[in-house]
């Protein structure tokens, strides 16, 4: 920023509309949400003027509840499982589809589709895959002789968790593939050539050349992936709605349930605020990480 | 040397084989959705399943399009309206803001960028209750406006951060020259910067549209009247009533993603560009 154009004050007018909009519909609601979480707001007190201020009572009761511990556990398991597989397959696809030939580019483009179709449709598609009768997963396992009877994937706690993880892995792979393949395309080709000359094998080239050179892409994809998976909502809501017996109750679904099913707005707000704080911590870590490489 | 080329050929062959195999696995669910939508309901439950619809039928589509459970044309129309208005609103606001953040000396620029970055990471449930109450009190509840305003908050942070990198990549001398020639900052923005960054602008429009079109949770929470539902809320509500009418559900899914697929076919370059620009440089 050596030289600045004249009339810098004009700059504020460009930013103001978007900022004002975000203030009205994001920042103010977030503050409002925090206020609700410090009050006692249920359906009966919603419209009354003076809502009782209860301090951190909601936080204490939420943090002590078994349901919260369950939803946190489910969310963490879901996130870790999804990210591990999405990263692995995304990386694999990025490596394999590195070649710039037309058929490869076309295949890569088509593989983007799972990422851009609405989560609602993805959820219904995977509900069909995991259907007890007529679902291809059961049919395939039967044909391979791996199971004897059809499994009710979405009707049992453990298999339901597996189902939502598989569904989410599928739609997240393209995200990792694209981010990582951009990173890969920026690694100079002669790095590989000279490594090959020195007798490095494929595995050594991966560890000593590829990974260090795409570190930024790896970091960005992992942190963003974790944030997006941690706040996943629609896919699971449509597939299982948190059930059976809360086995797929992600924190987002848990919060929604309190606010819009049992109308305990304060509890719902408290849960979403805890979720927000977790994501904020991850987000700030990301910003700190990126800050080193990127001049804001 | 001959040995080396032979070895190279073999490894290339295996690479291609693995590539095709992975590709097939990745797109199989899409293939399965398409074929299931063209099967008769009874054929879905055949064991072993048909990998290709032996008696292709449009039954599922006709049943879906004439169903009185949810008027799908109206749903698509609602989706289009909500998404298009959101697109124009979010893209315009963010392109302006991105330009301001890329070209002017702004107090608290870092804080502003941080706010946009954070709002991109917020869980949607954190604003759901307060916005529900706000929309109720200002009379926006149960209108398209509620969905539009809520959906725009998804697109704006993404587009601001992404567009800013486009504007930053254009040399400052270019619009300085325009300013010396007597252009105001707004004129140089419209006449010089926008045409140069047209790729980024396309990305902003496409992503604002996609975010809005894909939304379920906002419209589900803020719109009560089923005649105003976007198609995602429609499909969510209909699915419960289908039970196991899978071919009909898949047909509904196909109709829902058709606009997205069309956009993807024509705008694919911008979607990939936007994903990388928006996330890595964010």
């Amino acid at each position: 920023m050596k030289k600045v154009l004249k009339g810098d004050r004009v700059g504020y007018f460009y930013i103001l509309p978007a900022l004002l909009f975000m203030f009205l519909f994001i920042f103010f609601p977030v503050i409002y949400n925090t206020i609700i979480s410090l009050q006692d707001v249920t359906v009966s007190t919603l419209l009354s003027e003076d809502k009782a201020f209860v301090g951190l009572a909601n936080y204490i009761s939420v943090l002590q509840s078994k349901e919260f511990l369950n939803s946190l556990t489910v969310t963490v398991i879901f996130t870790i499982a999804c990210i591990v597989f999405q990263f692995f397959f995304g990386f694999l696809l990025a490596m394999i589809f590195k070649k710039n030939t037309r058929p490869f580019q076309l295949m890569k483009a088509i593989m983007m589709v799972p990422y851009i179709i609405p989560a609602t449709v993805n959820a219904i598609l995977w509900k069909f895959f995991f259907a007890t009768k007529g679902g291809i997963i059961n049919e395939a396992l039967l044909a391979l002789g791996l199971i004897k009877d059809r499994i009710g994937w979405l009707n049992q706690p453990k298999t339901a968790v597996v189902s939502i993880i598989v569904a989410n892995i599928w739609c997240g792979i393209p995200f990792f593939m694209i981010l990582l393949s951009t990173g890969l395309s920026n690694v100079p080709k002669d790095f590989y050539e000279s490594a090959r000359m020195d007798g490095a094998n494929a595995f050594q080239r991966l560890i000593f050349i590829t990974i260090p050179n795409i570190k930024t892409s790896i970091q960005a994809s992992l942190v963003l992936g974790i944030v997006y998976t941690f706040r996943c909502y629609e896919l699971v809501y449509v597939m299982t709605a948190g059930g059976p017996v809360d086995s797929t109750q992600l924190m987002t679904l848990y919060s929604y349930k309190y606010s819009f099913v049992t109308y305990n707005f304060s509890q719902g707000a408290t849960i979403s605020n805890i979720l927000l704080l977790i994501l904020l911590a991850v987000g700030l870590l990301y910003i700190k990480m990126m800050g080193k490489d990127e001049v804001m | 040397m001959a040995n080396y080329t032979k070895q190279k050929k073999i490894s290339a062959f295996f690479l291609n084989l693995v590539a095709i195999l992975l590709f097939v696995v990745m797109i199989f669910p899409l293939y399965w959705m398409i074929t299931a939508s063209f099967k008769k309901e009874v054929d879905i439950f055949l064991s072993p399943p048909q990998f290709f619809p032996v008696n292709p039928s449009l039954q599922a589509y006709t049943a879906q399009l004439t169903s009185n459970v949810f008027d799908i044309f109206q749903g698509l129309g609602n989706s289009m309206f909500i998404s298009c208005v959101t697109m124009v609103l979010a893209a315009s606001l963010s392109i302006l803001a991105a330009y301001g953040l890329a070209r002017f000396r702004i107090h608290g620029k870092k804080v502003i960028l941080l706010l946009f970055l954070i709002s991109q990471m917020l869980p949607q449930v954190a604003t759901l209750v307060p916005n529900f109450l706000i929309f109720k009190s200002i009379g926006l509840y149960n209108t398209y406006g509620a969905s539009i305003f809520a959906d725009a908050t998804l697109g704006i942070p993404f587009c601001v951060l992404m567009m800013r990198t486009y504007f930053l990549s254009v040399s400052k001398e270019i619009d300085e020259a325009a300013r010396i020639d007597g252009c105001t900052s707004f004129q140089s923005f419209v006449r010089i910067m926008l045409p140069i960054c047209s790729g980024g602008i396309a990305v902003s429009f496409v992503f604002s549209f996609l975010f809005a079109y894909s939304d379920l949770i906002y419209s589900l929470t803020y719109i009560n009247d089923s005649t105003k539902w976007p198609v995602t809320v429609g499909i969510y509500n209909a699915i419960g009533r289908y039970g196991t009418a899978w071919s009909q559900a898949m047909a509904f899914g196909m109709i829902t993603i058709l606009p997205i697929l069309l956009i993807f076919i024509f705008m694919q370059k911008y979607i990939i560009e936007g994903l990388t620009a928006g996330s890595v440089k964010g």
Side-chain angles (χ1 to χ4, degrees):
Chain A
M1 189 65 78
K2 304 173 284 199
K3 200 176 162 192
V4 178
L5 296 176
K6 268 187 235 160
D8 273 327
R9 277 194 209 125
V10 183
Y12 294 101
F13 289 100
Y14 288 95
I15 305 169
L16 211 60
L19 208 57
L20 204 67
F21 188 91
M22 290 306 279
F23 182 79
L24 281 178
F25 297 109
I26 291 286
F27 306 130
F28 175 65
V30 165
I31 296 165
Y32 193 0
N33 197 51
T34 310
I35 296 171
I36 295 172
S37 75
L38 300 172
Q39 291 173 328
D40 183 24
V41 186
T42 56
V43 73
S44 51
T45 57
L46 183 61
L47 297 171
S48 76
E49 280 301 309
D50 48 345
K51 301 174 183 88
F53 179 81
V54 294
L56 292 174
N58 288 317
Y59 288 86
I60 293 165
S61 83
V62 164
L63 290 171
Q64 282 176 341
S65 74
K66 268 193 181 148
E67 222 182 335
F68 173 78
L69 191 66
N70 170 60
S71 77
L72 184 66
T73 317
V74 174
T75 311
V76 170
I77 291 172
F78 177 75
T79 306
I80 293 174
C82 288
I83 294 297
V84 167
F85 285 100
Q86 285 172 347
F87 181 80
F88 176 77
F89 286 108
F91 196 56
L92 188 68
L93 288 172
M95 290 289 285
I96 284 178
F97 284 86
K98 212 163 65 173
K99 249 195 325 191
N100 253 334
T101 59
R102 267 200 80 88
F104 269 48
Q105 290 304 307
L106 187 69
M107 284 196 271
K108 210 160 114 182
I110 296 173
M111 284 191 289
M112 285 291 297
V113 174
Y115 186 69
I116 59 159
I117 57 181
T120 320
V121 177
N122 272 338
I124 291 166
L125 172 59
W126 283 96
K127 244 181 132 158
F128 174 39
F129 260 66
F130 283 108
T132 315
K133 277 183 190 167
I136 183 76
I137 304 269
N138 271 343
E139 293 303 329
L141 292 176
L142 273 177
L144 292 170
L146 292 173
I147 53 170
K148 283 200 187 94
D149 298 304
R150 292 188 168 82
I151 298 175
W153 288 94
L154 298 171
N155 308 327
Q156 299 162 17
K158 276 186 186 149
T159 51
V161 175
V162 173
S163 310
I164 60 165
I165 289 171
V166 170
N168 193 59
I169 289 171
W170 182 67
C171 27
I173 289 173
F175 171 78
F176 281 88
M177 176 184 79
I178 288 297
L179 286 200
L180 295 171
S181 57
T182 315
L184 285 178
S185 66
N186 292 335
V187 183
K189 274 217 172 74
D190 27 320
F191 281 22
Y192 292 104
E193 280 309 316
S194 52
R196 197 170 297 168
M197 295 289 182
D198 294 342
N201 62 31
F203 181 71
Q204 286 169 327
R205 290 198 297 272
L206 174 73
I207 298 292
F208 296 112
I209 298 184
T210 309
I211 291 177
N213 275 294
I214 60 166
K215 215 179 99 199
T216 331
S217 301
I218 292 178
Q219 284 176 341
S221 65
L222 283 179
V223 178
L224 288 174
I226 288 171
V227 170
Y228 294 153
T229 315
F230 215 89
R231 64 168 201 194
C232 170
Y233 178 80
E234 289 166 347
L235 181 87
V236 179
Y237 182 66
V238 178
M239 267 183 90
T240 63
V245 280
D246 292 350
S247 59
T248 57
Q249 181 99 287
L250 299 179
M251 281 179 76
T252 46
L253 280 91
Y254 176 42
S255 164
Y256 189 87
K257 185 180 128 188
Y258 267 90
S259 299
F260 292 101
V261 180
T262 61
Y263 296 110
N264 192 329
F265 295 108
S266 289
Q267 296 272 28
T270 306
I271 300 156
S272 64
N273 231 13
I274 296 171
L275 176 63
L276 187 145
L277 290 174
I278 296 173
L279 291 182
L280 212 60
V282 180
L284 290 175
L285 187 81
Y286 168 64
I287 289 158
K288 217 179 157 191
M289 249 161 48
M290 297 308 278
K292 284 177 200 155
D293 308 309
E294 204 66 35
V295 190
M296 257 198 179
Chain B
M1 205 60 196
N3 220 349
Y4 179 67
T5 29
K6 198 180 170 190
Q7 204 187 344
K8 227 179 167 181
K9 263 188 184 165
I10 294 173
S11 73
F13 172 76
F14 275 107
L15 189 76
N16 288 343
L17 199 73
V18 173
I20 291 167
L21 214 74
L22 284 171
F23 172 74
V24 169
V25 172
M26 256 317 266
I27 60 148
F28 179 74
L30 289 174
Y31 170 80
W32 203 237
M33 173 155 83
I34 297 168
T35 49
S37 74
F38 289 109
K39 283 178 187 170
K40 288 209 175 80
E41 214 61 72
V42 283
D43 291 344
I44 295 277
F45 296 99
L46 289 178
S47 182
Q50 296 177 342
F51 276 87
F52 193 78
V54 181
N55 308 305
S57 145
L58 287 174
Q59 210 183 3
Y61 286 90
T62 48
Q64 193 53 63
L65 293 172
T66 54
S67 137
N68 48 15
V69 173
F70 177 70
D71 184 346
I72 202 162
F73 290 109
Q74 193 175 43
L76 279 173
N78 291 338
S79 277
M80 280 297 165
F81 179 75
I82 292 171
S83 311
C84 287
V85 178
T86 306
M87 171 179 83
V88 173
L89 177 71
S92 331
L93 290 183
S94 27
I95 291 167
L96 281 172
Y99 180 70
L101 286 166
R103 272 299 188 263
F104 296 92
R105 194 165 49 186
I106 303 287
H107 287 289
K109 184 188 276 184
K110 276 195 171 171
V111 177
I112 295 172
L113 284 170
L114 197 68
L115 284 177
F116 281 118
L117 206 59
I118 287 171
S119 49
Q120 205 184 351
M121 298 180 165
L122 286 184
Q124 283 158 290
V125 283
T127 55
L128 221 49
V129 174
N131 271 339
F132 175 78
L133 299 176
I134 294 167
F135 289 147
K136 273 214 153 166
S137 66
I138 58 175
L140 270 177
Y141 177 73
N142 211 9
T143 66
Y144 294 126
S147 289
I148 290 167
F149 287 145
D151 288 349
T153 63
L154 300 171
I156 289 174
F158 176 85
C159 296
V160 168
L161 297 170
M162 191 243 357
M163 259 331 273
R164 186 172 162 265
T165 64
Y166 275 86
F167 288 134
L168 285 176
S169 71
V170 177
S171 151
K172 271 215 168 90
E173 273 97 60
I174 291 178
D175 55 349
E176 265 171 38
R179 300 281 284 279
I180 288 163
D181 289 346
C183 280
T184 64
S185 79
F186 191 70
Q187 281 169 328
S188 89
F189 167 65
V190 173
R191 292 192 197 150
I192 316 280
M193 294 302 273
L194 290 189
I196 294 177
C197 299
S198 57
I201 289 163
V203 177
S204 309
F205 274 82
V206 169
F207 272 84
S208 304
F209 183 93
L210 288 180
F211 282 135
Y213 191 88
S214 302
D215 164 63
L216 168 73
I217 185 170
Y218 287 149
S219 296
L220 189 66
T221 313
Y222 304 142
I223 298 183
N224 195 21
D225 176 358
S226 67
T227 61
K228 290 179 189 156
W229 279 347
V231 70
T232 45
V233 180
I235 194 171
Y236 168 71
N237 266 277
I239 192 72
R241 303 177 203 209
Y242 286 146
T244 48
W246 291 116
S247 72
Q248 212 174 317
M250 292 303 113
F252 200 156
M254 286 301 296
I255 298 168
T256 306
I257 65 169
L258 201 65
I260 299 269
L261 291 181
L262 289 176
I263 291 172
F264 181 70
I265 290 168
F266 295 108
M267 293 293 195
Q268 185 221 106
K269 185 184 140 217
Y270 296 115
I271 291 176
I272 292 172
E273 214 173 286
L275 258 179
T276 38
S279 1
V280 176
K281 294 177 190 162

